[in-house]
Amino acid sequence: MSIVQYLQQINSYYNEKRGYQLAEWLSLRHHHAKNSNLFHSKPDNLIANHIEDETFGELVGAHVRCLFAVFKNEANEAHMEQNNVVQAFIRIFQYYKEENWLLPVMNTVCLELRILAGKVDTISSNESSRGSVKPREALEKAAETMMACFRICSSDNRSSESDTKKWGMLSLVNQLFKLYFRINKLHLMRPLIRAIDSSPLKDKFNLSQQITYRYYVGRKAMFDSDYVLANENLTFAFQRCHKDSKKNKHLILIYLVPLKILLGYLPKRSLLEKYDLLQLWEIGEAVRGGNARKLTEAIETHQEFFIKSGIYLILERLRLVTYRNLFKKVYMIMKNPVLTLEDLLIALRMMESSEIELEEANCILANLIHQGKIKGYISHTHQKVVLSKTDAFPKLSALVQ
């Protein structure tokens, strides 16, 4: 295909308002993106001769220049041109006030803007790149550009449900969530979450988009220590995710499994083995057995994976649950609601470190009682803990209701 044929083809799709076909032929992942006949650094004259709409011509020109930049492996230049593509698209999107046939194009150009911004953020700029880009600058710029698209979609109140641009909100929100996690600005997610949760289309969006949304909302809730909300959203994402999407289920379980352990549930070994997460089985076994030493060893052994996945801190929160389970074992062995602090200290020294002192055991116990993980009180005079005769060790899941 020559560049003239390409321009005629894409102009035809635009004039006929064929959004899905137009999106394909403006995608960097479509087969035309590897056609060397389209690699032009200055295609403007050709475009002016074959595309009537001036703004659409700007968009196509930026796309062609972006193809050439990608071919030359110029990440900064490609990102800049893709940003120009989206800026031109925004003007066209605003022009078609009560129509949403351009939504597939929006999804494509915004997705690829995020991908290119990510490449700029991770690879070093070579000498031929245009200027230097500061860390996160490309990602933040991409987020600002996508927010302009989101505002257009969210403010479309005049169109009917079938024609409203609001159908594009969730895909944009998911792209923005990915950027906010990468630049560590999770607070910017709050207004977007409110917008989606209050939308009458909330449960009507494409299921795959709903799953992605719930995944990120669940992850944010974990950071906010809102474990009920996190459990609800991550469980939804895992259960609704297609059974053949092993990679996505693996990603969801990285966060869902530590959360379930925190709530007192240990997934089956077969499940974790299926999704290549046996590192978390070691964690779960240590927590269930009240073995703080094994918990430490498991965390240290797989530390790099846990830090990279962003779950290292929540795994450390499992330590107190581990102590709770250890003290419960002592209680079941002694079969007495009154336990000496010396008994608990012996258990701690067996299951964690021989260097633990009585003051530390006292502190651990006080924290467990304060958090409601154990019902009872400490008698410092008698160096004993008096446990409740009913439900001395409440279910962990009940503590976060």
Side-chain angles (χ1 to χ4, degrees):
M1 174 182 274
S2 69
I3 189 166
V4 170
Q5 290 173 316
Y6 171 74
L7 296 174
Q8 290 171 340
Q9 180 78 74
I10 205 165
N11 188 55
S12 173
Y13 288 146
Y14 180 74
N15 290 334
E16 294 168 13
K17 299 183 178 179
R18 295 168 67 179
Y20 287 101
Q21 289 83 357
L22 189 59
E24 284 185 351
W25 288 84
L26 286 171
S27 172
L28 301 174
R29 295 162 292 160
H30 190 252
H31 61 74
H32 81 274
K34 296 181 180 179
N35 184 348
S36 59
N37 292 332
L38 306 185
F39 299 159
H40 282 256
S41 59
K42 296 179 180 179
D44 298 345
N45 290 335
L46 275 170
I47 289 170
N49 292 332
H50 294 91
I51 293 180
E52 301 91 356
D53 187 288
E54 185 179 342
T55 309
F56 183 59
E58 289 180 30
L59 188 157
V60 175
H63 175 65
V64 170
R65 289 191 295 273
C66 184
L67 293 179
F68 191 38
V70 170
F71 169 72
K72 294 186 298 177
N73 202 27
E74 295 278 3
N76 288 338
E77 187 177 337
H79 170 256
M80 183 186 71
E81 293 296 352
Q82 186 66 16
N83 190 67
N84 291 337
V85 167
V86 181
Q87 294 291 354
F89 170 80
I90 289 169
R91 299 202 300 278
I92 297 170
F93 202 37
Q94 288 173 318
Y95 175 78
Y96 289 98
K97 295 186 183 299
E98 297 183 17
E99 302 175 47
N100 66 1
W101 64 273
L102 280 165
L103 286 179
V105 180
M106 180 194 75
N107 292 337
T108 296
V109 297
C110 286
L111 168 64
E112 291 174 350
L113 177 64
R114 178 183 65 80
I115 291 171
L116 286 172
K119 287 183 178 179
V120 170
D121 196 59
T122 53
I123 65 174
S124 301
S125 300
N126 57 42
E127 292 178 4
S128 60
S129 296
R130 297 184 184 178
S132 58
V133 179
K134 297 177 182 177
R136 298 185 179 179
E137 184 180 336
L139 297 170
E140 290 174 351
K141 187 175 181 180
E144 288 173 14
T145 303
M146 279 190 252
M147 271 305 298
C149 290
F150 177 78
R151 292 187 191 101
I152 296 170
C153 291
S154 62
S155 61
D156 184 11
N157 296 316
R158 293 173 297 180
S159 306
S160 64
E161 183 174 300
S162 60
D163 294 325
T164 184
K165 291 183 176 69
K166 288 189 175 183
W167 287 111
M169 288 170 60
L170 192 57
S171 62
L172 282 171
V173 164
N174 289 336
Q175 295 299 327
L176 287 163
F177 281 178
K178 291 174 185 179
L179 288 170
Y180 293 155
F181 264 92
R182 185 152 176 179
I183 62 178
N184 198 26
K185 291 189 175 181
L186 303 192
H187 64 282
L188 296 176
M189 293 172 64
R190 292 189 198 116
L192 300 179
I193 292 172
R194 285 197 298 269
I196 295 299
D197 287 352
S198 62
S199 170
L201 301 177
K202 179 185 177 184
D203 299 321
K204 299 179 182 180
F205 287 112
N206 180 283
L207 181 59
S208 64
Q209 295 291 349
Q210 289 188 52
I211 290 168
T212 303
Y213 174 76
R214 294 290 201 108
Y215 167 72
Y216 282 105
V217 171
R219 283 185 61 185
K220 181 183 182 300
M222 283 182 70
F223 282 106
D224 295 338
S225 299
D226 189 343
Y227 300 128
V228 173
L229 184 64
N231 185 44
E232 176 191 331
N233 283 281
L234 290 171
T235 300
F236 176 97
F238 183 75
Q239 291 177 345
R240 301 297 180 90
C241 186
H242 195 278
K243 59 183 176 64
D244 293 333
S245 298
K246 189 173 180 180
K247 180 182 177 181
N248 289 341
K249 281 184 172 283
H250 169 89
L251 290 173
I252 296 166
L253 284 176
I254 287 174
Y255 304 95
L256 184 56
V257 171
L259 183 61
K260 289 292 188 183
I261 297 172
L262 196 66
L263 297 176
Y265 305 105
L266 179 61
K268 293 180 180 178
R269 181 186 175 94
S270 58
L271 177 74
L272 299 180
E273 196 166 9
K274 179 180 179 181
Y275 293 105
D276 193 25
L277 283 171
L278 283 178
Q279 306 97 317
L280 293 173
W281 174 256
E282 296 176 34
I283 297 289
E285 283 286 275
V287 173
R288 184 169 63 177
N291 196 324
R293 185 185 297 109
K294 281 191 176 180
L295 177 64
T296 300
E297 289 171 357
I299 291 175
E300 288 178 352
T301 300
H302 308 290
Q303 181 175 327
E304 186 178 348
F305 170 74
F306 295 146
I307 292 175
K308 186 178 179 181
S309 301
I311 58 171
Y312 184 84
L313 292 178
I314 195 167
L315 294 181
E316 281 295 338
R317 292 178 189 175
L318 293 175
R319 194 169 298 279
L320 209 56
V321 178
T322 308
Y323 293 140
R324 176 255 190 201
N325 292 342
L326 174 60
F327 292 168
K328 184 178 181 180
K329 285 181 179 291
V330 175
Y331 166 70
M332 293 175 72
I333 292 169
M334 304 301 288
K335 297 180 181 178
N336 190 336
V338 180
L339 302 173
T340 66
L341 295 180
E342 187 65 29
D343 288 336
L344 300 181
L345 178 61
I346 291 170
L348 281 170
R349 286 176 172 172
M350 286 178 62
M351 290 298 192
E352 184 166 26
S353 168
S354 59
E355 297 177 2
I356 289 180
E357 298 295 335
L358 189 60
E359 291 79 5
E360 191 173 345
N362 244 314
C363 184
I364 291 169
L365 186 57
N367 274 329
L368 288 167
I369 292 172
H370 175 71
Q371 292 187 17
K373 290 181 170 65
I374 292 178
K375 288 183 181 179
Y377 65 90
I378 302 172
S379 172
H380 292 287
T381 305
H382 299 96
Q383 291 291 286
K384 292 180 179 181
V385 57
V386 181
L387 301 174
S388 171
K389 291 182 179 180
T390 57
D391 200 20
F393 295 85
K395 286 187 176 181
L396 294 170
S397 57
L399 298 177
V400 293
Q401 298 299 323

